[in-house]
């Protein structure tokens, strides 16, 4: 009975194939999800750059009627430190920077 059990190979090929297919699928998912993560980060960086490029300045002039008047108003959107055109090397526009962790040695 032990010899028959030892020589029985039914299902061995199927489970080996399933392990191989599962391994390939997991490795493919890791690569795909990494690419998806990078593209989502790039798109969110584009959205952040679009928001930071919006100019919030406004103004309206005073109005004078027959018996009343209103004064005008103005708001000037000053340049922030991230709005400058010169950026340090290794950083993206408008203070968006990606920090990559260094791999530790063995």
């Amino acid at each position: 009975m032990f010899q028959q059990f030892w020589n029985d190979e039914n299902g061995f090929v199927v489970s080996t194939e399933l392990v191989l297919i599962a391994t390939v699928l997991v490795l493919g998912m890791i690569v795909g999800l990494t690419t998806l993560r990078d593209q989502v980060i790039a798109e969110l960086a584009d959205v952040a750059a679009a928001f930071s490029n919006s100019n919030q300045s406004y103004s309206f002039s005073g109005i004078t009627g027959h018996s009343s008047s209103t004064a005008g108003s103005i708001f000037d959107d000053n340049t922030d430190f991230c709005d400058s055109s010169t950026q340090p090397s290794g950083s993206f526009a408008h203070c968006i920077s990606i920090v990559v962790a260094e791999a530790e040695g063995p």
Side-chain angles (χ1 to χ4, degrees):
M1 183 171 142
F2 181 73
Q3 185 67 26
Q4 183 183 4
F5 179 71
W6 186 260
N7 292 331
D8 185 20
E9 294 184 5
N10 290 337
F12 178 76
V13 173
V14 173
S15 30
T16 304
E17 290 172 353
L18 288 177
V19 168
L20 181 63
I21 290 171
T23 303
V24 169
L25 287 176
V26 167
L27 291 175
M29 283 179 52
I30 290 171
V31 171
L33 290 174
T34 302
T35 303
L36 179 66
R37 178 201 61 195
D38 293 341
Q39 294 305 313
V40 167
I41 288 173
E43 188 62 33
L44 289 175
D46 291 343
V47 170
F51 274 114
S52 68
N53 281 332
S54 66
N55 187 352
Q56 300 173 1
S57 300
Y58 69 90
S59 66
F60 61 92
S61 60
I63 300 171
T64 303
H66 293 288
S67 60
S68 65
S69 66
T70 111
S73 179
I74 187 167
F75 172 75
D76 187 23
D77 188 16
N78 294 328
T79 304
D80 297 334
F81 66 94
C82 287
D83 292 338
S84 66
S85 61
T86 58
Q87 295 291 324
S89 62
S91 67
F92 296 100
H94 304 292
C95 293
I96 299 170
S97 58
I98 297 176
V99 179
V100 178
E102 296 292 328
E104 294 182 16

